[in-house]
Amino acid sequence: MKKVTEVLLSLILLISCKQSSNLSIKKSINYSNKTILDSLIKSTSQSNDTIFLGFTIGMSKSDFKIQIDKIKSEGKTITFSKSNRFTSIAGKFDLGAGYTFKTSISDESEGKTITGEGKYFIEPIYNKNGKLSQLNILPFEDWNDSDYSIDKPNWLKDKIEEKYEESTNENLKKALVNTGIISDYNTVWQKGNLIIFETSLTVNYIDLKTLLVELLVKELEKEVIKEENKDVKI
């Protein structure tokens, strides 16, 4: 019995040390270093996670359309429009062609339930191989209770927080802020090689490998700008 206990304690210590080591490595990664980014891109496998409405990272365009039909067959409301216009404090915008998912939403607060309607414009982004690598969602949530005229609930964000853990990779979030992808107050979630981040307008599901490529491109763009500035005579 004593030997079994010693073995178990050794295993726990080994796992703990390994997790601590992995965490230290993750925290020390410099996401602005092009060599490191290139190495990470090569060693990172593509996510195949199932995300919003059952879409899957890595699915083809035809599979995406099949999933749209499946959503409709389940009695959910998802419609296609060639022109999707919306108005915000920043002005009027036309998002172009795309799908909008509509659903009833609810929130519990201070002992009462409030309801509303959510509309979610879906923008799929495919990689060069025609596989889904990113899904951007532009949410519009209309709540019935006037008490929430200022500080309204966020149904989509609440649902994400129920399923995903907030990312502990501070260096990755810092890189996203420094490259202007997100703001400092935005949240980043992570599950394996799936990253979810919010911006002032959207919620974005993205394959980590794709995100690393985007960070590398932004670093290369900085180099180009620096070189161009050298030729400017003042």
Side-chain angles (χ1 to χ4, degrees):
M1 184 67 179
K2 185 178 178 182
K3 288 185 177 180
V4 172
T5 303
E6 289 175 351
V7 170
L8 287 173
L9 287 173
S10 298
L11 285 172
I12 291 170
L13 182 61
L14 180 62
I15 292 169
S16 176
C17 290
K18 186 176 181 180
Q19 288 177 337
S20 177
S21 175
N22 288 341
L23 187 61
S24 298
I25 292 171
K26 184 186 289 185
K27 285 186 175 181
S28 66
I29 293 175
N30 180 2
Y31 290 93
S32 64
N33 184 301
K34 297 187 299 301
T35 302
I36 291 175
L37 283 171
D38 184 60
S39 177
L40 286 172
I41 291 165
K42 291 175 181 175
S43 62
T44 301
S45 58
Q46 185 178 27
S47 164
N48 60 355
D49 288 82
T50 299
I51 54 174
F52 186 70
L53 294 179
F55 296 112
T56 304
I57 295 293
M59 71 189 330
S60 65
K61 293 181 181 181
S62 59
D63 287 337
F64 187 90
K65 182 62 171 63
I66 290 171
Q67 182 60 24
I68 291 287
D69 293 336
K70 183 175 182 293
I71 293 167
K72 291 179 179 179
S73 71
E74 293 171 348
K76 298 182 178 72
T77 303
I78 187 163
T79 56
F80 178 82
S81 176
K82 291 182 179 180
S83 177
N84 290 273
R85 295 184 177 89
F86 79 99
T87 302
S88 73
I89 57 173
K92 295 182 179 180
F93 301 90
D94 189 341
L95 301 172
Y99 290 93
T100 300
F101 171 67
K102 297 180 183 178
T103 184
S104 298
I105 54 178
S106 65
D107 182 73
E108 302 291 331
S109 180
E110 299 178 356
K112 67 176 182 178
T113 301
I114 63 165
T115 60
E117 182 185 51
K119 297 178 182 178
Y120 305 91
F121 178 77
I122 302 166
E123 180 191 20
I125 296 177
Y126 300 90
N127 60 25
K128 62 182 180 180
N129 297 318
K131 303 296 184 181
L132 184 70
S133 58
Q134 183 172 349
L135 188 73
N136 299 336
I137 303 167
L138 180 63
F140 299 93
E141 297 182 353
D142 185 19
W143 295 95
N144 296 323
D145 198 306
S146 59
D147 292 344
Y148 288 88
S149 58
I150 298 176
D151 189 17
K152 296 181 180 179
N154 189 322
W155 181 84
L156 178 58
K157 185 175 179 179
D158 288 345
K159 289 297 180 185
I160 290 171
E161 289 180 338
E162 287 176 9
K163 185 175 180 180
Y164 300 98
E165 295 290 333
E166 188 170 338
S167 176
T168 58
N169 193 337
E170 292 298 325
N171 278 6
L172 178 60
K173 180 174 181 178
K174 183 179 177 182
L176 296 178
V177 172
N178 290 343
T179 51
I181 294 174
I182 66 172
S183 298
D184 188 55
Y185 55 82
N186 291 136
T187 307
V188 179
W189 299 270
Q190 182 167 5
K191 178 188 173 186
N193 288 342
L194 173 68
I195 302 293
I196 307 167
F197 64 87
E198 59 175 350
T199 68
S200 57
L201 291 176
T202 62
V203 171
N204 311 272
Y205 294 78
I206 186 169
D207 169 49
L208 176 58
K209 191 183 190 81
T210 301
L211 184 58
L212 293 171
V213 171
E214 190 170 335
L215 290 174
L216 178 58
V217 168
K218 287 186 177 293
E219 290 303 323
L220 292 171
E221 286 175 349
K222 287 180 186 177
E223 278 201 352
V224 171
I225 291 171
K226 283 175 68 176
E227 287 299 316
E228 289 177 347
N229 286 345
K230 288 181 182 179
D231 296 330
V232 177
K233 295 182 172 139
I234 304 298

